[in-house]
Amino acid sequence: MTATTAAPGSTRWPRPFRYVYAASLTESLGFQVGYLAVPALAVSVLAATPGQVGLLAVLSTVAFLLIGLPAGVWIDRSPRRTVLLAADLTRAVLYASIPLAWWADALTIGQLYAVVLLTGVGTVFGDVAAQSFLPELVGRDRLVAANSLLMTSSATVQIGGRGFGGLLVQWLGAPVALALNAVTHLLAALALTRVRPAAPTAADRERPTGDFGRQLAEGVRHVLGSPLLRPLAVSLAGINLTVNLMTTMLPVVFLRELGLGAGMLGFFLGAGGVGALLGAVTARPLAARIGHGRALWLPGVLVAPAGALVALVDTEGWLWLAGFGWLALAWRTGVGNVIGVSLRQRVTPDPLLGRMNATFRFLLTGAIAVGAGLAGLLGQYAGARTSLWVGAAGAALTWLPLYRSPLRTLSDPSALPTADR
């Protein structure tokens, strides 16, 4: 399936992209509520231990390690709209099962484990297909603008969504909050049905066929063999691992150690949305002023001490300082997402987009799973604060792979060879 892209110089987004954008925005709202509601449900309703909270975080992302790479091959062989639809409908059914089981007094930690694992499978296909679909929808010349719009909107939803999610959990309970997640995925699927298939083009006819293993290896080699993509992947994986060492244990620190409640936890995490929004908004002008390469590594240097502020989180004034540190870390991530995703989409040929994105998601989200597992172990045996401090120390070093690569001085990616289309 293909979609019509906008004419060069046009300021209007093509209709198919607008529907995909609406679906993404709706999914983002549900994700932000669920991001808080799932661990809150485990801690407050099912009395989960720190180790069980860590396992939940692992299971929510481990699908990228289990099927992330082959998913890229399947997506490159399939119409991406169909993949997006199936992913949203599957996640809607799974999330709806949680409040239904709770109302029937049958909810268990085992069911919660199963739901987060299987919704993670849906997220694998949904996320990889969405990123692979974007160049087809808008054209490569508008990738930075389109990614900036998507990530700015996602960050805006994160600001309100996590605060709203915290209040929703506090007022109505986590199971009811998760019912909203099911509704948002249904609405996203409805928006995607408005994207109509177009006549097959040369790009559609180039969909890979043949040996599955060879095609999978092509995607891995494209990323790990590239002097631009490899350091980007290593740095981003490091960011995900170290930051998740902190985020996994924050509900334990807020709800048990500090007694601040789900509402305050939601507003604290919402500060990350403010930072991500600022990062998405400032990424383009920052890259234009100092170069795309410096815009990838320099923010990491500037915010290196911010993780320590998060690890020092406490009541009163320390809470505000920790919130500022969380905002700064999210700003760095917002800048890197816009510049990094656009760079990798630009230098990857259309037939490899699914496998390239799947390889990145395998590495990046796999790092989240590893970070969550380490956080659970540290939280269980050394205390939740230890996990925060280990994450803070690691996060301060994640800019080094970029600095030691050709990305250090990359000025403008338009000077790079454009991927074959």
Side-chain angles (χ1 to χ4, degrees):
M1 190 207 81
T2 60
T4 304
T5 59
S10 171
T11 59
R12 181 176 174 82
W13 294 109
R15 186 185 299 270
F17 171 75
R18 296 201 299 271
Y19 286 127
V20 172
Y21 170 72
S24 174
L25 206 59
T26 307
E27 287 175 4
S28 292
L29 175 60
F31 175 81
Q32 300 307 331
V33 173
Y35 183 86
L36 178 63
V38 168
L41 175 68
V43 171
S44 60
V45 177
L46 299 175
T49 66
Q52 289 174 320
V53 174
L55 180 57
L56 269 175
V58 170
L59 291 174
S60 68
T61 53
V62 75
F64 282 91
L65 289 174
L66 299 176
I67 64 167
L69 293 177
V73 181
W74 291 322
I75 289 167
D76 277 339
R77 292 179 170 190
S78 307
R80 283 151 189 166
R81 169 184 172 272
T82 302
V83 176
L84 289 170
L85 268 171
D88 273 319
L89 291 173
T90 299
R91 286 177 286 181
V93 171
L94 289 166
Y95 278 122
S97 73
I98 295 176
L100 290 175
W102 175 72
W103 286 325
D105 198 24
L107 182 64
T108 65
I109 191 69
Q111 179 183 343
L112 199 57
Y113 288 156
V115 168
V116 297
L117 174 63
L118 294 174
T119 53
V121 173
T123 300
V124 170
F125 284 93
D127 285 4
V128 174
Q131 290 186 341
S132 305
F133 203 10
L134 189 61
E136 186 178 336
L137 291 170
V138 303
R140 279 185 167 80
D141 290 342
R142 304 185 73 186
L143 282 173
V144 173
N147 280 311
S148 180
L149 174 63
L150 286 167
M151 293 173 192
T152 298
S153 302
S154 177
T156 302
V157 171
Q158 182 180 338
I159 296 169
R162 293 191 180 179
F164 173 67
L167 292 176
L168 198 64
V169 170
Q170 196 161 301
W171 293 340
L172 302 178
V176 177
L178 284 170
L180 177 62
N181 224 341
V183 173
T184 58
H185 283 293
L186 282 174
L187 292 175
L190 181 63
L192 290 169
T193 62
R194 305 290 294 175
V195 180
R196 301 300 180 189
T201 66
D204 295 309
R205 291 189 289 271
E206 290 174 5
R207 293 195 190 281
T209 58
D211 183 74
F212 191 95
R214 178 182 60 79
Q215 292 163 20
L216 188 152
E218 285 176 353
V220 175
R221 283 197 302 269
H222 175 70
V223 173
L224 299 185
S226 167
L228 298 178
L229 298 184
R230 182 178 60 252
L232 182 64
V234 171
S235 176
L236 293 176
I239 291 171
N240 283 359
L241 188 152
T242 55
V243 170
N244 215 51
L245 278 167
M246 293 184 274
T247 57
T248 303
M249 285 298 109
L250 279 175
V252 177
V253 172
F254 268 73
L255 301 179
R256 286 197 180 150
E257 181 180 325
L258 302 179
L260 292 174
M264 187 58 69
L265 174 61
F267 282 115
F268 180 88
L269 294 174
V274 176
L277 174 61
L278 292 173
V281 169
T282 58
R284 293 175 69 191
L286 183 65
R289 184 170 183 83
I290 68 173
H292 285 66
R294 289 188 181 90
L296 284 171
W297 64 263
L298 186 57
V301 178
L302 296 177
V303 306
L309 295 178
V310 177
L312 289 167
V313 64
D314 207 329
T315 56
E316 300 178 351
W318 285 108
L319 182 61
W320 288 98
L321 284 174
F324 174 77
W326 189 246
L327 183 151
L329 290 174
W331 170 75
R332 181 269 311 271
T333 301
V335 172
N337 281 344
V338 171
I339 305 302
V341 170
S342 303
L343 172 67
R344 73 196 210 207
Q345 288 169 332
R346 182 176 183 86
V347 302
T348 301
D350 281 341
L352 270 170
L353 278 169
R355 285 167 285 170
M356 176 277 293
N357 283 314
T359 302
F360 263 90
R361 296 299 301 205
F362 171 82
L363 296 171
L364 272 54
T365 312
I368 292 176
V370 173
L374 290 174
L377 290 172
L378 289 170
Q380 186 74 25
Y381 297 108
R385 289 280 179 174
T386 302
S387 183
L388 298 187
W389 279 110
V390 172
L397 304 174
T398 52
W399 56 274
L400 282 171
L402 299 168
Y403 184 79
R404 295 174 59 84
S405 78
L407 290 169
R408 175 181 174 181
T409 56
L410 176 67
S411 177
D412 185 353
S414 64
L416 298 171
T418 303
D420 297 328
R421 278 177 268 182

